[in-house]
Amino acid sequence: GMLADFVEELPKVELHLHIEGTLEPELLIALAQRNGVDIPYKTIEAARAAYQFEDLQSFLNVYYLGASVLREERDFYELTLAYMSRCKAQQIRHTELFFDPQTHLANGVALAAVMGGINAALRDAERDWHISSALILCIERDRDPQPAVALLERACALGGIAGIGLDSAELGNPPEKFQEVFKVAKSMGLHRVAHAGEEGPPAYIWQALDVLDVERIDHGVRCLEDPALVRRLVDDRIPLTVCPFSNVALKVFSRLSEHNLGRLLKAGLLATIHSDDPAYFGGYLSENIIETLSDLDLTAEDALLLERNAVEAAFCTDQRKQSLL
Ligand code: HPA
Ligand code: ZN
């Protein structure tokens, strides 16, 4: 339809994307074979059939299993270049990618292999397709916070890190556990974001703001439960990187037509739409935007507002932002 055409052609910005979550079943099966990693699915169809989730944890189990096939620098290069070529096809001009180094280190993969592969693909996509990017190192909140500072320092020494994030199992793992590494990140001049208020309560969003000093909240959809928090987010123009397909797949909302994105926008919040883990949740950025607008009776004008919000929320220079508008 006309709305779909408009969104597909619109220059777009992705701000909430886990690179490991772009591992499509085809590449998953191919890498499992190439690297001799034993995974429970033997076919592409069996892998897809396993992508049925009850909540965040049941997804994370499948996501970390998938990530275990990534072993060599070229695996990370191929994964990232495949995602960047999706960006090219979807008119995504700027993308900010999360990665989960602690998972790869636990699998015995060197940090230099992970970052070497990702950074090389990002450089090639910038050179060949003029897609700008930023790489955000995610700390996994269901692991011990203690080694995080040394990891961050090692990653920054390798180059290409624009910011720090906080992901993985939210409930029971409040942001305040990670105060130290976020403080170090700020002192190093890094950007700061955190997943909060996806499954966790508004108190976790407050902590992300007040204890971690984050510049954006990833998800944040539960903020509407707390009017004082909404005022804070509106007054400080804190972006919320909302991922509608993810929220439905993980049963944060029962269906897309029940999503609160329309209410977030009406409240004056700086909400944006992103794809989170598109290989697992059924679609990339264009599909997320088109289906969400359509199911919530939103318009092309709302699509424009969402993309202007995403440009404002992006971690790039003002000059680059001007060229994205
Ligand atoms: N939430 C938290 N952690 C994650 C996600 C998510 O949606 N995707 C990958 N790691
Ligand atoms: Zn996420």
Side-chain angles (χ1 to χ4, degrees), residues 18 56 59-60 63 167-168 195 198 219 246 276-277:
H18 303 263
L56 177 56
F59 159 70
L60 290 169
Y63 165 90
D167 71 356
S168 206
H195 286 54
E198 177 186 18
H219 295 294
S246 166
D276 212 3
D277 301 284

Side-chain angles (χ1 to χ4, degrees), residues 13 15 94 96 191 216 239 309-317 321 324:
V13 169
L15 301 176
H94 176 79
E96 301 189 359
H191 289 293
R216 303 194 298 239
N309 286 351
V311 171
E312 178 175 342
F315 296 146
C316 56
T317 63
K321 289 186 182 196
L324 293 168

Side-chain angles (χ1 to χ4, degrees), residues 19-181:
I19 191 60
E20 296 89 348
T22 68
L23 180 57
E24 291 287 342
E26 290 77 4
L27 186 58
L28 171 85
I29 300 290
L31 291 182
Q33 248 174 25
R34 192 164 89 188
N35 292 330
V37 178
D38 193 34
I39 50 167
Y41 345 105
K42 302 301 162 203
T43 65
I44 292 157
E45 295 69 34
R48 267 193 218 289
Y51 297 176
Q52 301 279 346
F53 313 112
E54 287 308 311
D55 54 14
L56 177 56
Q57 187 61 61
S58 66
F59 159 70
L60 290 169
N61 297 341
V62 170
Y63 165 90
Y64 290 127
L65 184 71
S68 73
V69 307
L70 299 161
R71 297 285 162 158
E72 306 290 334
E73 179 161 339
R74 70 169 177 162
D75 303 342
F76 290 89
Y77 179 84
E78 289 171 17
L79 175 72
T80 306
L81 199 69
Y83 167 64
M84 296 307 282
S85 97
R86 297 264 189 176
C87 289
K88 176 173 178 275
Q90 291 213 340
Q91 309 295 339
I92 297 171
R93 303 291 165 82
H94 176 79
T95 182
E96 301 189 359
L97 304 84
F98 295 129
F99 74 119
D100 286 323
Q102 288 165 303
T103 284
H104 307 302
L105 288 167
N107 290 337
V109 185
L111 187 62
V114 176
M115 291 181 59
I118 295 173
N119 281 328
L122 297 180
R123 268 199 307 276
D124 288 356
E126 168 107 61
R127 181 197 63 205
D128 295 342
W129 303 326
H130 312 290
I131 302 169
S132 56
S133 56
L135 185 60
I136 300 175
L137 184 156
C138 270
I139 300 297
E140 295 169 38
R141 67 201 309 158
D142 45 359
R143 293 181 186 268
D144 178 8
Q146 197 278 327
V149 170
L151 168 62
L152 183 68
E153 286 171 344
R154 280 173 58 213
C156 286
L158 289 166
I161 300 292
I164 185 174
L166 186 67
D167 71 356
S168 206
E170 187 182 8
L171 287 170
N173 297 302
E176 62 187 3
K177 280 173 65 180
F178 298 89
Q179 178 167 22
E180 190 195 0
V181 68

